[in-house]
Structures are given as structure tokens and as C-alpha cells.
Amino acid sequence: MPSVDPLQHQAVQSLYAEHHPWLCAWLRKRLGCFDHAQDLAQDTFIRVLLQRKAPELREPRAYLSSVARSLMIDRFRRRALEQAYLETLAARPEALDVSPEARLMIIETLLEIDRMLDGLGARTREIFLLAQLDGLSYVEIGKQLNVSVNTVKKHAVRALTHCLLAAEA
């Protein structure tokens, strides 16, 4: 972990002391679980510490709730992906013995793909997924979505370009 200057340390310490109980209560209302709220509050303060913005915060509760909301969304996305992956495994007729390491790699890859596609519009994302996951042709996608093949191609190119640029970053 990078070193923290004394001013930063003091600012985070004060922020924590003043707002930790409030943030835990705020998160508990949204998550319905005290333990998960405590964990997410801790993650929020770690993020604040690493971002080194504590000394300059004008509206600490707004900032903390924004960081916590972002972490909560990430946690929900991860759980949804994990659940979808586990449901897919359960639906497979043959028994698969996937090691915990392989499972983690698959989930991390799915999360990275989800992040990569996050910047796409809904239509572009849908066309990309229909082509890449369902293996549909541009003509089939056009018929399914009631759009022209040229529109499908434009969205496919936009999606592929976005993915290539995201992969290079």
C-alpha cells in the first residue's frame, strides 16, 4: 500500500470517526445485513484512503455514499455473474469438476467482459451479444430486432471497436 502523509491520515481518521456509523446505517438500510454493511463501509473508507481525497472533501456524506453506491453496484454485479455462472454449471447434464482457481478465473473474465461492454449503448450491446454469444448472423439479428442488416453491421463495428480500444487501455 502506498505511504500516506500525516495530513491525509488525519483527514481519513476524522472522516472515519465522524461518518462511519452513519455510513454503516445507510448501507444497512440498502443491503438489509449488518455484516455486509460493515464490510462495504470498510471498503469505502479504504477506497477514500487510496484516492487521497479526504482532506479536500466539502460534502463528505455525499462523497461517501457515492463511493459506497459504486462499490455496492460492483458487488451486486459480481454476485449476479457468479449466480448466472453457477446456474449454468448446474444446468449442464454432465458433471463438471471445475477447480476453485479455474472458477475464479472464469468469473474474473466475465467481470472484465461486463466492464468492457458497460460503455456500449443498449442496442449495440444486444447486437454484440447476439452475434458473439448466440452465434446469430447479421441477417438473423436484423430479423430478430426488426432492423436493417446495415444497422446491425454499424452496431457490430461500433462494439468491436469499443472492445478493442478498451482492451488496449
Side-chain angles (χ1 to χ4, degrees), residues 11-32:
V12 172
Q13 195 171 17
S14 296
L15 188 69
Y16 188 89
E18 292 174 28
H19 300 287
H20 182 263
W22 168 82
L23 183 60
C24 286
W26 186 85
L27 286 166
R28 192 170 148 282
K29 277 195 282 186
R30 281 148 184 81
L31 297 171

Side-chain angles (χ1 to χ4, degrees), residues 66-141:
S66 176
V67 171
R69 186 177 295 110
S70 174
L71 291 171
M72 196 170 16
I73 289 168
D74 288 347
R75 184 174 282 193
F76 289 148
R77 274 187 177 167
R78 181 177 180 93
R79 283 199 185 134
L81 281 171
E82 287 175 354
Q83 186 61 37
Y85 173 70
L86 292 173
E87 287 171 5
T88 300
L89 283 180
R92 296 196 69 113
E94 69 276 355
L96 290 177
D97 189 20
V98 179
S99 72
E101 294 83 12
R103 182 173 295 160
L104 180 62
M105 286 177 53
I106 291 168
I107 290 171
E108 291 298 326
T109 302
L110 289 172
L111 285 169
E112 188 61 35
I113 291 168
D114 184 59
R115 275 191 224 84
M116 194 178 292
L117 297 179
D118 199 32
L120 296 175
R123 174 64 51 104
T124 304
R125 185 181 179 128
E126 182 179 16
I127 288 171
F128 179 81
L129 292 173
L130 286 171
Q132 298 301 315
L133 295 181
D134 294 343
L136 297 181
S137 70
Y138 291 168
V139 172
E140 292 169 324
I141 294 170

